[in-house]
Amino acid sequence: MFGLVFFASLALKDPNNRKIAMSQAITSVHNIAVIGRDGTGKSKLVDAWLHLIAQTPESLIAELPEEESRGITIYNRFYSLAFDQGRINLIDTPGNSNFLPKVGAALSVASGAVLVIAGSGSAESSLRLFETMEAANRPKVIFVNMLDLPDTNWENSVHELELQFNLSPLVLFLPIYQDGQLVGLVDVLSGEPVGGGVLSEGLKEERDRYFQAAIEQLSELDDELMADYLEGRPLDPELINQVLTEGIRTKKLTPLLLGAASKGVGVKQLSLFIAQHFPTHSQNPIWVGMESGGQDAGLVERRPVASEAFSAMVFKTLHDRFSGKLNFALVVSGLLVKGQKVLNSSTGAKIDLNHFARMNGDHTEPIEEAGPGDIIVIEKESHLFANQTLCDPSEPILFEPIAYPVPRCTYHLELTDTSQDNRIIDSLHKVMEEDPSLRLHKNIETGEILLSGMGPLHLEVVREHLKSVYAVEIKLVDPYIAYHETITKSVKVHGRHKKQSGGHGQFGDVYLLLEPLPRGEGVLFESKIVGGVIPKQYIGSVEKGVREALIKGSLGGYLVSDIKVTLVDGSHHSVDSSDQAFVQAGILAIRQGLPDAAPILLEPIMEMEIDLPEADLGRVTKDINARRGRVTGYTYREFTTLIKAECPLAELSDYAVALKNMTQDKGLFSMHLKGHEAVTSHLSKKILAQAQR
């Protein structure tokens, strides 16, 4: 007898007895991130898992309005399940690529992960989630869900996993169907039915094939098991379980379980499998941090056990309308008791932690103490933020913060210059504390306030969240394109500012030479004044006037760049000349000279990296060309292809949506400004005509 029958006696704990002994919590805490695309039944699996504990007919899944209206998970949700053997904390994560940073944050504190795929869907759609999971390097199990649906073909899903992700899943269960209905499972290692149903002769043969495949895969990890298998000796069930556990811990095995969460099939087996074979938090690798925030700080190690000094990583901030500010933290090492003084090593501040709790869906359960692996919610600490470290003041450590990707979708935040603007900005700062993948910044050239996120859906959710939680409404529109102007021929211009209105007058007189520069050179000012025709103290004033005038060009009022301005001559008046007079003279000269210097329009060119499945390469390349862009290179990766391209920013306002549609939400991109290039005469006229409307 093999496999799960060895721990089928593990009993779920009485849901009314929520508190467990500290010694037990210390050694047996699993933090499991449940990951899956929208539509795979991921949250139904979490809900079914919760029903194993609560034994109630109602759904225990917490949702906010923006999630309920779309039928998807947008925010990480935390649920805590108590077992006789310890505790499993489940993290229900978003499935849309707009919210991948939240998945990464969940994995940063997880000790393991469950990837949920649909038995009737395409495993390839989980590409970005799989990549995120692989980058986190956590033990994982794949759960093929929704096997109760009529169009299910779970073996096709497994085959896709093998092809798309270069995996060799260790299949540990097979479905049992009777009259077309899923009634139970068969344990591949033991050959015993689980949950109901009888094995047909065909299913017995199928189980034998998968048993041989499983033993061969396990034998590759252990010499003793390999020898027993090759020599035909009886296989030791305990040894098989040990090899299975070690293979998961070292990430050399990817077990595959299956079932139907909506029917409760396979859920208990998944829960028991994790309790038996997955490493607990305290069995995970050593955490490494810095002694302090100084440049010369050395490395410090923390074993994730109770005997080490206390340390915790704050990984999430939440502003609750009723409870105020909440900070989620993973206790990495040591013990925390109510009232304990800890050090925020990110700021140097000391804190008395008097209020912390365990999160369960949409409510908190106050606790008196916490140990390694516990995910706690710290209340009433307004100066605590995500990505900060808490630790024992006598043994400081600073953990590396969670890295968030650069936002790839930007909109102009329209403000009205009223008191409402302050409420909007204050509310946005709170939302950004909750979601570090957002960015609020100002475009210096256009003066716009810009809000950037991971995609249009991400920013639309932010807009709805601001309205429902903070009672403020924002308007997001396409940002302005920061065109530039430049000149294409050299001209010499004269600027004289002369004004007499009683008393001292104003006099400044300059001659400037305007010359074009290569792209990317900006504005260069030079003085060739000799003989004191313009005193030295006024040279800087001329330059100030020149640069001020170049902020608005003669074509469309855009910034003028790639121009050299040389002060070659001029005159002054001993009484009437002043700094301001020469500023005005410089402005007049530029305004008079630009129209005569054959000005042209320049547009911003973005350097792009587009990461996508190879199957979508052709259509995405064609689309780049249609946007007046050009591909500069390809890099072939393990699962995807990276396109490097250059494209005008004006053609990319809808690119996040377009790439999603072209790649079925599997494509990602990033871009940054490469420089400005000349616009064709025909397009320039069109742009300038639109700007004048």
Side-chain angles (χ1 to χ4, degrees), residues 115-126:
L115 176 63
V116 184
I117 65 173
S120 58
S122 170
E124 187 186 11
S125 65
S126 301

Side-chain angles (χ1 to χ4, degrees), residues 536-656:
K536 288 183 178 180
Q537 66 264 32
Y538 297 139
I539 302 298
S541 300
V542 177
E543 181 178 0
K544 180 180 178 182
V546 165
R547 293 187 180 276
E548 182 178 331
L550 291 176
I551 292 175
K552 289 188 176 183
S554 60
L555 287 177
Y558 300 110
L559 181 72
V560 181
S561 62
D562 303 336
I563 182 173
K564 180 179 180 181
V565 180
T566 305
L567 176 60
V568 294
D569 201 358
S571 62
H572 75 287
H573 189 280
S574 59
V575 176
D576 292 342
S577 288
S578 65
D579 286 324
Q580 187 58 36
F582 276 99
V583 168
Q584 293 301 317
I587 291 174
L588 288 172
I590 292 296
R591 288 178 178 172
Q592 292 172 17
L594 285 178
D596 297 330
I600 61 171
L601 198 63
L602 304 176
E603 64 177 340
I605 303 297
M606 308 305 291
E607 198 164 60
M608 305 178 69
E609 288 191 347
I610 309 162
D611 190 25
L612 72 167
E614 187 175 353
D616 301 316
L617 201 59
R619 67 174 66 93
V620 172
T621 298
K622 183 178 179 181
D623 179 74
I624 287 292
N625 293 333
R627 294 172 185 268
R628 298 191 289 120
R630 65 186 185 93
V631 172
T632 59
Y634 299 97
T635 301
Y636 296 94
R637 297 177 167 180
E638 184 176 6
F639 305 121
T640 59
T641 299
L642 185 72
I643 299 177
K644 292 189 175 182
E646 296 172 2
C647 192
L649 178 60
E651 303 290 342
L652 298 173
S653 61
D654 66 338
Y655 196 70

Side-chain angles (χ1 to χ4, degrees), residues 356-673:
F356 54 91
R358 180 176 291 120
M359 196 76 182
N360 221 334
D362 58 0
H363 68 280
T364 57
E365 302 167 359
I367 55 177
E368 301 289 322
E369 54 189 6
D374 281 331
I375 293 176
I376 61 173
V377 180
I378 300 171
E379 303 170 332
K380 302 180 180 180
E381 292 295 339
S382 60
H383 299 294
L384 191 60
F385 299 92
N387 268 341
Q388 293 184 341
T389 301
L390 301 177
C391 60
D392 187 326
S394 63
E395 297 191 48
I397 188 171
L398 180 66
F399 293 124
E400 184 177 354
I402 300 168
Y404 285 87
V406 176
R408 54 180 182 264
C409 182
T410 299
Y411 285 100
H412 170 201
L413 174 63
E414 284 196 341
L415 298 176
T416 58
D417 294 325
T418 66
S419 59
Q420 179 76 356
D421 290 353
N422 292 330
R423 287 189 60 208
I424 289 174
I425 297 300
D426 289 344
S427 300
L428 270 172
H429 280 301
K430 289 182 179 179
V431 173
M432 287 190 295
E433 288 178 10
E434 298 178 343
D435 187 352
S437 63
L438 288 169
R439 183 184 174 211
L440 187 68
H441 52 112
K442 185 175 183 178
N443 186 320
I444 301 301
E445 288 189 28
T446 64
E448 298 169 286
I449 301 297
L450 302 175
L451 182 63
S452 300
M454 301 310 297
L457 176 60
H458 184 198
L459 295 177
E460 178 63 19
V461 165
V462 169
R463 188 189 66 78
E464 291 181 18
H465 187 69
L466 285 167
K467 182 178 180 180
S468 63
V469 175
Y470 298 100
V472 296
E473 294 193 47
I474 63 172
K475 185 177 181 181
L476 298 175
V477 298
D478 288 337
Y480 299 125
I481 304 298
Y483 293 103
H484 284 186
E485 298 179 25
T486 193
I487 61 173
T488 58
K489 74 174 186 178
S490 300
V491 295
K492 187 175 181 181
V493 294
H494 178 219
R496 172 177 288 184
H497 177 69
K498 183 177 181 181
K499 189 174 182 181
Q500 192 71 41
S501 58
H504 288 303
Q506 297 182 35
F507 182 84
D509 184 48
V510 298
Y511 287 87
L512 304 177
L513 176 63
L514 311 186
E515 300 173 278
L517 288 176
R519 297 291 168 263
E521 293 295 319
V523 175
L524 179 62
F525 179 85
E526 184 180 1
S527 172
K528 290 188 176 180
I529 294 298
V530 294
V533 293
I534 298 178
K536 288 183 178 180
Q537 66 264 32
Y538 297 139
I539 302 298
S541 300
V542 177
E543 181 178 0
K544 180 180 178 182
V546 165
R547 293 187 180 276
E548 182 178 331
L550 291 176
I551 292 175
K552 289 188 176 183
S554 60
L555 287 177
Y558 300 110
L559 181 72
V560 181
S561 62
D562 303 336
I563 182 173
K564 180 179 180 181
V565 180
T566 305
L567 176 60
V568 294
D569 201 358
S571 62
H572 75 287
H573 189 280
S574 59
V575 176
D576 292 342
S577 288
S578 65
D579 286 324
Q580 187 58 36
F582 276 99
V583 168
Q584 293 301 317
I587 291 174
L588 288 172
I590 292 296
R591 288 178 178 172
Q592 292 172 17
L594 285 178
D596 297 330
I600 61 171
L601 198 63
L602 304 176
E603 64 177 340
I605 303 297
M606 308 305 291
E607 198 164 60
M608 305 178 69
E609 288 191 347
I610 309 162
D611 190 25
L612 72 167
E614 187 175 353
D616 301 316
L617 201 59
R619 67 174 66 93
V620 172
T621 298
K622 183 178 179 181
D623 179 74
I624 287 292
N625 293 333
R627 294 172 185 268
R628 298 191 289 120
R630 65 186 185 93
V631 172
T632 59
Y634 299 97
T635 301
Y636 296 94
R637 297 177 167 180
E638 184 176 6
F639 305 121
T640 59
T641 299
L642 185 72
I643 299 177
K644 292 189 175 182
E646 296 172 2
C647 192
L649 178 60
E651 303 290 342
L652 298 173
S653 61
D654 66 338
Y655 196 70
V657 174
L659 184 64
K660 174 185 176 180
N661 294 336
M662 287 186 289
T663 64
Q664 294 75 52
D665 203 21
K666 296 188 288 291
L668 298 176
F669 78 99
S670 62
M671 62 183 182
H672 64 271
L673 181 65

Side-chain angles (χ1 to χ4, degrees), residues 35-43 116-118 125-126 145-146:
I35 299 167
R37 286 282 297 171
D38 297 330
T40 60
K42 168 186 58 65
S43 293
V116 184
I117 65 173
S125 65
S126 301
N145 195 19
M146 305 171 75

Side-chain angles (χ1 to χ4, degrees), residues 99-144:
F99 310 108
L100 276 177
K102 292 180 172 62
V103 179
L107 285 166
S108 70
V109 298
S111 55
V114 178
L115 176 63
V116 184
I117 65 173
S120 58
S122 170
E124 187 186 11
S125 65
S126 301
L127 169 65
R128 295 306 172 187
L129 294 172
F130 183 81
E131 281 187 332
T132 304
M133 192 168 59
E134 286 291 280
N137 196 30
R138 297 292 190 267
K140 59 183 176 292
V141 59
I142 296 171
F143 186 81
V144 183

